Amino acid sequence: MHEATTTTLTEALSAGGAAVREGTSADAVHGRVPRLVATPPDTAAASALLAAAHRHGLASIARGNGTALAWGAPPLRCDLLVDTTALTGIEHAAGDLVVRAGAGTPLADLRDHLARAGQRLTLDPPVPGGTVGGAVATGLSGPRRMLHGPLRDLIIGMTVVRADGVAASSGGRVVKNVAGYDLGKLHTGALGTLGLITSVTFRLHPVPPALRLVSAQAPDAAVLQEWTARALRSAAVPAAVELRWPAEGPPRLQVLLEGARGGIDARAAEVAALLDAPHTAEALPPDWGAPPGGARDTLLKVTAPVSASALAARTVREAARALGTSADVGGSAGAGVLYAALPADADPEAVAGVVARARAALAEAGGTLTVARTAPHLADPALDLGLDRWGPVGGLALMRAVKDRFDPHRLLSPGRGPGGM
Amino acid sequence: MPEPLHALLPRLRAVCGDDGVITDTARRRTYESDGITYHAALPGVVVLPTSTAQVAAVVSLCAEHGVPFVPRGAGTGLSAGALPHTEGVLIVTSRMRSILEIDVANERAVVQPGVANLDITRAAAPHGYYYAPDPSSQQVCSVGGNIAENSGGAHCLKYGFTVNHVLGLEVVTPAGEVVRLGGKAADAPGYDLLGAFIGSEGTLGIATEVTVRLLRAPQKVRTLLAAFPTMDAGGAAVSAIIAAGVLPAAVEMMDALSIEAAEAAVACGYPAGAGAVLIVELDGPAADVDAQFEEVAALCRAEGAFEIRTASDAAERARIWKGRKSAFAAVGRISPAYIVQDGVVPRTSLPEVLRRIAELSAESGIRVANVFHAGDGNLHPLVLFDDAEPGAAERAAEVSGAILDLCIEHGGSITGEHGVGVDKACHMPEMFSPADLETMDLFRGAFDPAGIANPEKLLPTPRLCGERPGVRKGVHPLVERGAAEQF
Ligand SMILES: Cc1cc2nc3c(=O)[nH]c(=O)nc-3n(C[C@H](O)[C@H](O)[C@H](O)COP(=O)(O)OP(=O)(O)OC[C@H]3O[C@@H](n4cnc5c(N)ncnc54)[C@H](O)[C@@H]3O)c2cc1C
Ligand SMILES: Cc1cc2nc3c(=O)[nH]c(=O)nc-3n(C[C@H](O)[C@H](O)[C@H](O)COP(=O)(O)OP(=O)(O)OC[C@H]3O[C@@H](n4cnc5c(N)ncnc54)[C@H](O)[C@@H]3O)c2cc1C
């Protein structure tokens, strides 16, 4: 299937209106340089592009702004990189608190656009550089997911191009709608393995007039856990309960309150009374909701029932220490979804060991651990590290059946799906 | 009884026991329809399993023999989703009604699928928690049915739908396998099959155990009723409230015809001469609620409300809700028959769409009462007619269909909470392209390649289209029994 000359392929791929060029090392995904890079200007062109790629058996990978291309396993193949950055456009129905955005729309543009109407997509942090499609495909959900739900709960409609080039929509443009299967759920967090997202419709929230961030340093995980429980139980209704536990030093809990100006100080005081030596701020710190560690660190995603979230953080840290490395942990203690960063230069065997050890301990408490991103030196697929990125996945056979139907020839980001699909 | 089904009987009895298998015609007949009595079919056989293992064994038998099965909860569905298959097995969850766990520390409840929605809140209330999705049928409808329909309620404007509150499921797949999706922790690894299963109307398998989120009861709840001279003024108030950045727990609206019906039925004492009433409920931290309450009242006044009543305790609140909650039953009393429609429009299109509905009504001479979830644009027009009058049912069905067309024209949906089922399957092509529908079918086939799970529901088939929407006669039986209050 690779006999076609680059010229023939370029012609075939550009027939539907996409701009096509040869790939360079700057386009590499985990070291794999794509043969071609195509930029479709709209859904119709994206549809023609993927249909042509399908006919020629080319494996494709979507790229938004490329800030999270290292997420997921190294792709098994990468013939075509689909650059989504021309799939832009914002249609904002402010009175309906709804927005439709092209997948290539930078999140920052979307945020600025919505802010003019006093509204927001309650997806934080506003990732610098990331696109709508990239955020949806990585399943980004920031601190406020605790109150407003994860990103998938904010998506009310989606248009996706399938592996065979067929463009299909699900959901709609109204917040309440139960017509048909909600396929947007499947694509959220799927790293592009089930289709190329071309546009997404979100429900929005008004930006609350006031916020307070109450934070405090906890002496240990048990106290952290107790504070989390108190914050959750309090009538102050926090929007987020975040944990920050750097590799060195004690953990902090951050409780975010949002709402009417009149009540905000009373609510903040109510939460402050639940913690020791609390500090109350009227603005968010610059690193609010950012994943822990550096951009090249190995990043683990950890989940746990909320009564064990702080303890889960401790579990991962202890596993890291036992294997001679360290973990920087942060995330939503209130939702039970955390990230842990292991140093970029950590020994490969230690990383695999931390993963196995922490995963087993977390499973006992009803939690999970997956590898979101590996440090560059761990990403070489030739390296057999014995690193299991996924661990047990409930419903894997059904997921495989879904993948078989949507992408039978494994042309979409092959190897990056659950269980290495 | 068809032969393959007959051959299955001894094995079904071995699984569910003699009393768990119903073959008697009169008893089967009690299951022939759900909340839409217009669609009726005698189930081939009815089984009443008590455990996941029994459900799995029954479905495995169906899979082995290529026999279709239809899940059924309490049968309150309003899209004929639980319409039985005459040559299939109706799997009823009414004997799976245990609340398995109230886990306060994790803010979760684990229940069997036959548990009534409200029973979760009843079990959680002593701990200061509740289960948020509150369909009006909540005293009877099952959690399994809620999952299948992704049910909403008056308070879903702020709190979302069933899908936002279910964290884990145990599912028996159409192949008879038991699979766990999600659990007490959020974000299970892999594709979000849990999210996609919710709202799948029994076509992807049967939910046999459900883990839901419990919410802390709000510190304060305040309710206000505002009377407006016209629907336009009421609609403008709704827009103003949302534009001000207020997110009420509920915003409900009634028009003059439904107010009149409610007045006649329960003497709710709503302000005389109102062309529309709005009920707005706020909940949350006391300070927030109080501040926003004043703001909402001021906005209503600015948009022309001529009377505003407020409630701050449960008794006063019940008085305000009384007319709203009895409106549908009341309408049933002023008209021999009616069709319940369930469509959605963008909230900003509400005034325009309501005007068009009034025109449709005037042109056809068919009365339409509007009682609806104004906050999220979910209309429930009641199309009234006299079924003794020749041709009236057809004309009413036409008006009802035209209202759906209006919803689609305005970028809305053919169903906000009642689901597609059989009733609206042939409307799906109005909202979705052939490619959209084919993609949905691909997904369905991943779970159910043999096509035995609730066949001919949700997606259109040639056989289905052309049937009329459901026609309700008089008061709904559930409402009559006092088991449900409203839509
Ligand atoms: C809690 C949290 C905090 C985060 N904070 C940050 C942060 O501060 N800074 C930061 O840079 N990142 C952050 N991320 C990661 C974030 O998810 C991504 O950086 C960003 O949103 C991706 O956008 P992108 O356009 O750069 O995607 P890309 O890197 O281009 O793509 C990311 C993945 O999505 C796929 N993809 C992209 N577009 C599509 C599409 N249209 N259809 C299908 N698949 C597609 C790609 O194939 C790739 O697998 C955070 C994540 C989490 C969970
Ligand atoms: C008076 C009245 C008021 C109503 N008010 C509302 C309202 O406010 N909001 C709202 O959303 N709906 C409302 N409804 C509709 C209805 O109550 C809901 O759709 C409810 O969720 C159906 O639950 P059920 O147990 O009765 O399901 P059924 O009618 O028995 O079944 C509904 C669907 O669910 C499937 N199903 C049932 N159990 C399972 C299971 N365990 N696993 C998989 N599939 C299953 C069936 O196959 C069918 O497709 C109302 C209905 C009435 C009669």
Side-chain angles (χ1 to χ4, degrees):
Chain A
M1 58 181 65
H2 286 266
E3 305 94 18
T5 66
T6 300
T7 322
T8 326
L9 283 181
T10 304
E11 255 167 44
L13 295 179
S14 55
V20 181
R21 61 168 174 84
E22 287 184 39
T24 70
S25 59
D27 302 310
V29 182
H30 276 299
R32 288 191 187 276
V33 178
R35 191 164 167 195
L36 294 161
V37 177
T39 310
D42 53 30
T43 297
S47 172
L49 173 70
L50 285 200
H54 186 251
R55 276 196 302 278
H56 290 274
L58 303 180
S60 52
I61 295 183
R63 180 180 69 191
N65 283 348
T67 62
L69 276 185
W71 285 50
L76 299 175
R77 289 170 60 200
C78 175
D79 306 316
L80 172 68
L81 195 75
V82 181
D83 176 341
T84 66
T85 52
L87 298 169
T88 50
I90 297 176
E91 294 168 46
H92 181 199
D96 296 319
L97 285 163
V98 163
V99 72
R100 176 151 105 174
T105 309
L107 288 171
D109 288 6
L110 183 61
R111 180 196 53 202
D112 294 346
H113 188 105
L114 300 174
R116 289 201 283 274
Q119 299 180 1
R120 71 179 184 200
L121 173 60
T122 310
L123 151 75
D124 48 356
V127 177
T131 60
V132 165
V136 173
T138 49
L140 176 152
S141 291
R144 291 175 175 97
R145 67 168 293 158
M146 194 190 99
L147 186 64
H148 296 283
L151 174 59
R152 60 149 230 198
D153 284 5
L154 306 173
I155 294 173
I156 60 173
M158 199 183 278
T159 301
V160 170
V161 177
R162 292 187 335 216
D164 61 2
V166 172
S169 302
S170 59
R173 311 189 63 173
V174 281
V175 293
K176 200 170 180 188
N177 170 24
V178 295
Y181 298 116
D182 190 359
L183 299 183
K185 298 274 188 296
L186 284 183
H187 296 283
T188 307
L191 286 180
T193 57
L194 295 177
L196 172 74
I197 301 163
T198 61
S199 89
V200 186
T201 309
F202 299 99
R203 66 173 302 179
L204 304 171
H205 289 104
V207 179
L211 75 76
R212 294 290 182 274
L213 189 68
V214 184
S215 53
Q217 201 166 297
D220 58 35
V223 171
L224 200 61
Q225 193 66 65
E226 170 58 22
W227 287 357
T228 302
R230 288 182 193 168
L232 287 176
R233 234 178 288 135
S234 102
V237 193
V241 177
E242 286 283 291
L243 168 165
R244 305 255 105 191
W245 201 344
E248 300 302 329
R252 285 185 81 74
L253 198 69
Q254 303 172 312
V255 182
L256 174 66
L257 300 157
E258 294 187 307
R261 238 174 234 112
I264 200 81
D265 286 314
R267 288 167 64 204
E270 200 177 325
V271 169
L274 307 172
L275 315 177
D276 287 344
H279 173 260
T280 300
E282 298 191 6
L284 296 173
D287 67 344
W288 171 247
R296 297 168 68 81
D297 289 355
T298 293
L299 195 65
L300 312 177
K301 180 171 180 176
V302 173
T303 75
V306 288
S307 73
S309 53
L311 304 175
R314 184 179 64 192
T315 300
V316 178
R317 292 169 59 84
E318 282 174 356
R321 199 166 316 122
L323 283 136
T325 179
S326 63
D328 176 353
V329 186
S332 180
V337 179
L338 308 171
Y339 290 87
L342 306 180
D345 59 2
D347 174 55
E349 272 169 36
V351 172
V354 174
V355 166
R357 192 177 180 123
R359 181 179 284 147
L362 290 163
E364 271 174 40
T368 64
L369 184 150
T370 47
V371 179
R373 179 186 70 208
T374 41
H377 75 287
L378 301 181
D380 183 350
L383 254 174
D384 183 12
L385 301 168
L387 175 67
D388 176 1
R389 288 169 185 272
W390 290 93
V393 176
L396 187 61
L398 286 172
M399 292 175 196
R400 193 161 280 129
V402 171
K403 177 77 173 171
D404 283 344
R405 299 245 157 184
F406 280 46
D407 181 20
H409 308 297
R410 301 293 193 264
L411 295 179
L412 297 175
S413 298
R416 304 195 122 183
M421 256 184 272
Chain B
M1 182 178 297
E3 194 38 48
L5 211 49
H6 199 79
L8 225 55
L9 283 182
R11 298 177 69 184
L12 289 174
R13 289 202 177 96
V15 172
C16 298
D18 286 350
D19 69 336
V21 179
I22 300 173
T23 54
D24 172 70
T25 307
R27 286 185 66 202
R28 275 186 291 147
R29 197 166 300 287
T30 60
Y31 294 98
E32 69 182 2
S33 61
D34 61 8
I36 290 199
T37 46
Y38 176 81
H39 295 282
L42 195 63
V45 58
V46 178
V47 298
L48 308 169
T50 56
S51 65
T52 300
Q54 289 189 3
V55 173
V58 169
V59 173
S60 296
L61 285 172
C62 290
E64 197 182 307
H65 295 266
V67 168
F69 68 88
V70 175
R72 177 180 166 113
T76 68
L78 290 173
S79 52
L83 180 72
H85 196 291
T86 51
E87 296 174 13
V89 181
L90 187 72
I91 303 176
V92 185
T93 62
S94 56
R95 290 187 176 175
M96 299 176 74
R97 299 183 63 114
S98 299
I99 292 181
L100 303 171
E101 192 186 353
I102 298 289
D103 178 353
V104 176
N106 284 310
E107 308 188 317
R108 303 285 183 264
V110 183
V111 304
Q112 286 192 309
V115 166
N117 172 297
L118 190 59
D119 285 345
I120 303 180
T121 289
R122 288 202 180 107
H127 307 281
Y129 284 82
Y130 74 110
Y131 176 56
D134 59 342
S136 316
S137 48
Q138 68 178 162
Q139 298 194 34
V140 274
C141 68
S142 72
V143 175
N146 294 171
I147 281 162
E149 304 290 6
N150 188 17
S151 299
H155 294 83
C156 63
L157 173 63
K158 179 169 176 182
Y159 292 102
F161 319 100
T162 301
V163 68
N164 309 121
H165 298 272
V166 173
L167 275 292
L169 286 178
E170 177 189 73
V171 169
V172 172
T173 71
E177 276 153 18
V178 180
V179 173
R180 280 197 169 268
L181 306 173
K184 284 184 184 173
D187 286 18
Y191 300 142
D192 185 13
L193 298 183
L194 171 72
F197 187 93
I198 296 165
S200 65
E201 303 193 4
T203 63
L204 304 181
I206 303 188
T208 50
E209 190 192 289
V210 186
T211 304
V212 302
R213 180 198 319 280
L214 299 175
L215 294 188
R216 185 94 174 96
Q219 188 175 39
K220 187 155 191 179
V221 182
R222 288 188 74 179
T223 310
L224 149 166
L225 178 130
F228 295 87
T230 62
M231 289 288 274
D232 273 7
V238 176
S239 294
I241 292 166
I242 302 294
V246 177
L247 185 58
V251 180
E252 301 284 309
M253 194 154 146
M254 291 169 69
D255 70 0
L257 183 55
S258 43
I259 298 169
E260 179 197 317
E263 190 57 55
V266 297
C268 53
Y270 285 176
V277 297
L278 205 59
I279 296 174
V280 184
E281 191 156 283
L282 296 164
D283 70 8
D288 270 31
V289 170
D290 290 338
Q292 297 195 328
F293 196 80
E294 294 314 320
E295 196 177 351
V296 167
L299 290 168
C300 287
R301 258 179 239 113
E303 296 298 341
F306 62 83
E307 190 173 334
I308 290 181
R309 295 181 188 167
T310 61
S312 42
D313 63 30
E316 284 174 28
R317 198 152 60 238
R319 223 167 297 138
I320 285 184
W321 277 104
K322 189 174 179 189
R324 168 63 183 91
K325 293 201 169 186
S326 63
F328 279 55
V331 165
R333 288 190 179 92
I334 64 166
S335 179
Y338 62 93
I339 299 170
V340 181
Q341 193 44 281
D342 167 42
V344 188
V345 297
R347 183 177 36 236
T348 47
S349 308
L350 271 177
E352 155 83 9
V353 170
L354 290 169
R355 247 177 271 134
R356 295 277 302 277
I357 292 177
E359 282 164 25
L360 276 172
S361 166
E363 284 158 17
S364 61
I366 298 270
R367 290 189 300 167
V368 179
N370 286 293
V371 183
F372 58 97
H373 310 302
D376 44 28
N378 187 188
L379 297 169
H380 283 320
L382 301 171
V383 183
L384 316 187
F385 65 98
D386 182 353
D387 53 342
E389 190 189 315
E394 286 71 19
R395 280 189 293 138
E398 255 171 54
V399 170
S400 173
I403 292 174
L404 274 195
D405 293 344
L406 270 179
C407 293
I408 294 169
E409 230 174 83
H410 284 83
S413 170
I414 57 170
T415 170
E417 56 183 17
H418 295 168
V420 175
V422 171
D423 200 52
K424 285 184 174 163
C426 56
H427 287 285
M428 287 287 278
E430 295 158 22
M431 202 171 147
F432 295 106
S433 75
D436 301 342
L437 295 172
E438 189 229 349
T439 305
M440 290 184 191
D441 200 37
L442 273 182
F443 174 63
R444 181 181 193 153
F447 278 71
D448 182 23
I452 58 168
N454 215 2
E456 305 222 287
K457 309 281 171 67
L458 201 150
L459 293 173
T461 67
R463 198 191 67 82
L464 283 178
C465 299
E467 287 185 11
R468 290 181 307 157
V471 173
R472 163 134 334 108
K473 291 185 120 202
V475 178
H476 191 276
L478 277 177
V479 175
E480 192 110 276
R481 288 211 311 269
E485 295 167 302
Q486 58 166 135
F487 290 91

